[in-house]
Amino acid sequence: SYVHGKSFQPLLNSLAAVYPAFRGDPFLESVYWEKTADTYLKLGFSDPAPRIQAVLRGIKWGYPAAHLYYDLGMFYLMDQKPALAREAFRKARGAPFDFTASAQLLGNLK
């Protein structure tokens, strides 16, 4: 949780320090990169690239889960890239166990 005036950089440093211990484990890769993307989001909206790259790594090196594609789509929307967002939401819909709002967002992005 956020403490006013405190940086999230120590959390990012801690995550990076433990990463080698589980590199290559698909489940933990997914969790790690999702948490990293979420932490970048908490840093602010100025640069979406780190968030997008973190989620893409989670999809590539972890499990391509629907919620990761959904997060990717949301980050693309924040970056004003609706075509890339649509593609991410489509992939979320095609992933097993899609319990995201991707279908509704796809309907709104036509």
Side-chain angles (χ1 to χ4, degrees):
S1 67
Y2 180 69
V3 176
H4 183 68
K6 296 290 183 177
S7 170
F8 281 99
Q9 193 58 50
L11 176 57
L12 289 170
N13 294 343
S14 295
L15 287 168
V18 299
Y19 179 66
F22 56 79
R23 177 181 284 149
D25 179 298
F27 174 75
L28 293 176
E29 289 274 2
S30 297
V31 172
Y32 173 83
W33 290 110
E34 180 181 18
K35 185 62 175 173
T36 299
D38 181 58
T39 303
Y40 281 126
L41 178 63
K42 291 174 182 173
L43 290 172
F45 292 105
S46 60
D47 185 8
R51 295 187 299 268
I52 290 168
Q53 288 304 311
V55 174
L56 287 170
R57 288 179 180 135
I59 290 168
K60 179 179 179 182
W61 296 327
Y63 293 115
H67 74 284
L68 293 177
Y69 282 116
Y70 175 81
D71 289 349
L72 182 61
M74 294 303 292
F75 293 151
Y76 280 138
L77 284 178
M78 290 176 193
D79 198 22
Q80 299 181 15
K81 296 181 178 173
L84 292 173
R86 269 192 297 279
E87 181 60 27
F89 294 139
R90 282 189 193 107
K91 288 182 178 180
R93 294 294 299 139
F97 309 110
D98 176 27
F99 299 111
T100 70
S102 294
Q104 293 89 338
L105 288 168
L106 278 170
N108 293 335
L109 286 172
K110 290 183 179 184

